[in-house]
Every structure is written in structure tokens, then in C-alpha cells.
């Protein structure tokens, strides 16, 4: 079973195998990395549009909260 470690933007994948099984291990790791790339590409397809709409969706909420907070602060300032 391959083991991986992520450090920043670097993915290190490896596994311990017998010398006679080295080629099969390399093929397995290459296949696993390919599956990871496919998974990440699918996630990116979903996340990019979601992330792109966040500012438009959140800005009204942020403005509304600021207005409520400002109103509450104004009320406190009267005392």
C-alpha cells in the first residue's frame, strides 16, 4: 500500500517492497498518483465556480452585519 506525505505543494509517495516487486510497485504508485490527479481535477471543476461566486454572495451578508454592528454601537454610544 503506498504511503504519501504532503508538504506545501509537494506530494511524496512511496512504499516498501521486495526488490523483485519493484516494477509492480512503481506501476502501482504511478496509477495511484494518476487517480489522485483525476480526483483533484474533478474537485477543481466543482470548487472553482463555487469560490468565484463567494464574493458576490458574501458581500451583502458582510455589509448587513456591519450595519447591524454599527447600529448596536450607535446605541451603546448613547449611554
Amino acid at each position: 500500500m503506498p504511503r504519501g506525505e504532503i508538504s506545501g505543494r509537494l506530494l511524496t509517495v512511496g512504499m516498501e517492497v521486495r526488490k523483485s516487486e519493484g516494477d509492480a510497485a512503481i506501476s502501482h504508485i504511478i496509477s495511484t498518483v494518476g487517480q489522485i490527479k483525476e480526483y483533484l481535477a474533478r474537485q477543481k471543476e466543482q470548487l472553482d465556480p463555487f469560490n468565484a461566486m463567494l464574493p458576490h454572495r458574501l458581500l451583502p451578508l458582510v455589509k448587513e452585519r456591519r450595519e447591524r454592528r454599527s447600529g448596536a454601537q450607535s446605541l451603546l454610544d448613547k449611554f
Side-chain angles (χ1 to χ4, degrees):
M1 172 80 45
R3 296 182 184 258
E5 180 180 318
I6 298 173
S7 177
R9 295 183 55 89
L10 177 66
L11 170 64
T12 304
V13 179
M15 60 191 292
E16 292 184 29
V17 295
R18 293 185 194 126
K19 188 175 183 179
S20 62
E21 297 172 345
D23 289 339
I26 291 170
S27 294
H28 185 71
I29 289 172
I30 289 171
S31 171
T32 300
V33 170
Q35 290 173 355
I36 292 169
K37 287 180 178 180
E38 287 177 23
Y39 172 79
L40 292 174
R42 286 193 305 270
Q43 291 299 305
K44 185 171 176 23
E45 287 176 9
Q46 294 177 19
L47 292 173
D48 283 350
F50 177 81
N51 288 339
M53 67 90 179
L54 278 177
H56 305 291
R57 200 163 171 198
L58 294 178
L59 187 58
L61 298 174
V62 170
K63 286 181 179 180
E64 181 182 317
R65 183 177 186 281
R66 286 180 181 161
E67 289 172 8
R68 280 195 321 265
R69 188 166 187 244
S70 176
Q73 187 62 48
S74 296
L75 183 61
L76 288 173
D77 289 342
K78 291 180 182 180
F79 294 100

